Amino acid sequence: MAAQQKKMLFCTAGMLSLACALGTAAAVGSQLWVRGSILCSTGAMLVNASGPELHKFIGDIEYGLFSGQRLRHCGLGGRPLRFSFFPDLLRIIPASIHISVILFCTVLIVFALVGAGFFMLNAFGSPYETLHGPVGLYLWSFISC
């Protein structure tokens, strides 16, 4: 493979690996992991709502890994309620789920950054002296990706 083509291939792979790390970091901080609709059934039953009137009693809920927001519509307009995981939902949802997601996302970010570093080292440096031959370089690139 030509040197210019090799640099271009490894730079592209490094940029994709870096984009993976940034995308994972953005997903961890995002509030839009789960989105749903809530029906205020008590209010809808009181006025016997159906059809277009029922839309006044449907609210929204959206939450991410750390916080969320609920917007209830019970016929009187929206009432927003913001909540966070650790003080509010800790007794309902097990903390092990959130800790596992945080741990695996952190591992994914670290491996993606290590992979980007190896690809850039291979493109612009001398990886054979640094990593003790091509077998070590390809092994670490495979593990990090």
Side-chain angles (χ1 to χ4, degrees):
M1 187 183 315
Q4 189 68 16
Q5 186 181 14
K6 184 174 147 182
K7 277 188 179 182
M8 192 64 150
L9 179 70
F10 283 125
C11 283
T12 303
M15 290 298 153
L16 286 174
S17 185
L18 189 63
C20 176
L22 291 176
T24 305
V28 167
S30 174
Q31 188 176 340
L32 297 175
W33 281 39
V34 176
R35 177 177 257 170
S37 297
I38 303 171
L39 174 65
C40 182
S41 58
T42 306
M45 280 192 244
L46 283 174
V47 296
N48 198 13
S50 63
E53 295 172 342
L54 191 62
H55 185 65
K56 295 178 183 177
F57 296 95
I58 295 177
D60 297 317
I61 186 169
E62 55 190 29
Y63 63 92
L65 193 58
F66 300 110
S67 64
Q69 179 178 353
R70 181 181 75 186
L71 183 66
R72 288 187 68 174
H73 290 284
C74 287
L76 302 172
R79 293 186 316 218
L81 172 71
R82 296 189 61 79
F83 56 89
S84 60
F85 173 74
F86 286 106
D88 300 330
L89 298 177
L90 195 57
R91 61 186 179 275
I92 299 168
I93 300 173
S96 62
I97 293 172
H98 287 289
I99 300 301
S100 298
V101 170
I102 292 168
L103 178 72
F104 285 123
C105 285
T106 304
V107 168
L108 178 65
I109 291 169
V110 167
F111 278 172
L113 290 175
V114 167
F118 280 139
F119 285 126
M120 293 302 169
L121 177 69
N122 197 9
F124 298 114
S126 57
Y128 298 113
E129 292 84 11
T130 306
L131 297 173
H132 306 293
V135 176
L137 173 69
Y138 298 137
L139 174 69
W140 280 107
S141 295
F142 176 73
I143 289 172
S144 66
C145 289

